[in-house]
Amino acid sequence: MKDLFDTTYINELVKAFGKAAVRVKKSGFDEVIIHGAHGYFISQFLCPYYNRRTDEYGGSIENRSRIVLEIYKEIRKQVGDDYPILIKYNS
């Protein structure tokens, strides 16, 4: 298993989110939802309690939310401008 602290692996995951969204669109769904709540992967990046990173993905809220924006941009690039992208996250 790859180290989750490896930014190369993070880049691979971002691309994988985009590919998954394409599969969702091709399957005929009306939208794709990024699940960033309930302690899952994205939620852990957003939460300062869990995210103890010292690189560009940790520290400030801007850095902790970087991965969410990268995932969104990758999905948008792959599904196009006319396909709805929603995100669910904890408040």
Side-chain angles (χ1 to χ4, degrees), residues 6-88:
D6 183 330
T7 55
T8 302
Y9 185 55
I10 291 173
N11 293 335
E12 290 175 18
L13 285 172
V14 169
K15 297 283 186 201
F17 270 92
K19 290 177 184 177
V22 169
R23 290 192 300 274
V24 168
K25 184 178 179 180
K26 286 182 179 178
S27 295
F29 289 92
D30 295 331
E31 63 198 20
V32 65
I33 301 174
I34 303 167
H35 186 63
H38 306 111
Y40 290 108
F41 177 73
I42 293 171
S43 170
Q44 290 183 5
F45 266 81
L46 292 171
C47 179
Y49 179 80
Y50 293 108
N51 185 343
R52 306 290 182 164
R53 298 177 70 100
T54 58
D55 63 2
E56 66 269 26
Y57 294 101
S60 68
I61 186 61
E62 292 82 10
N63 285 357
R64 293 191 324 268
S65 62
R66 181 180 315 275
I67 195 163
V68 179
L69 296 173
E70 289 178 359
I71 290 169
Y72 171 79
K73 289 175 184 176
E74 183 64 27
I75 291 173
R76 177 59 64 212
K77 182 172 83 173
Q78 292 200 35
V79 299
D81 292 334
D82 61 343
Y83 193 69
I85 301 171
L86 289 77
I87 184 164
K88 180 177 184 169

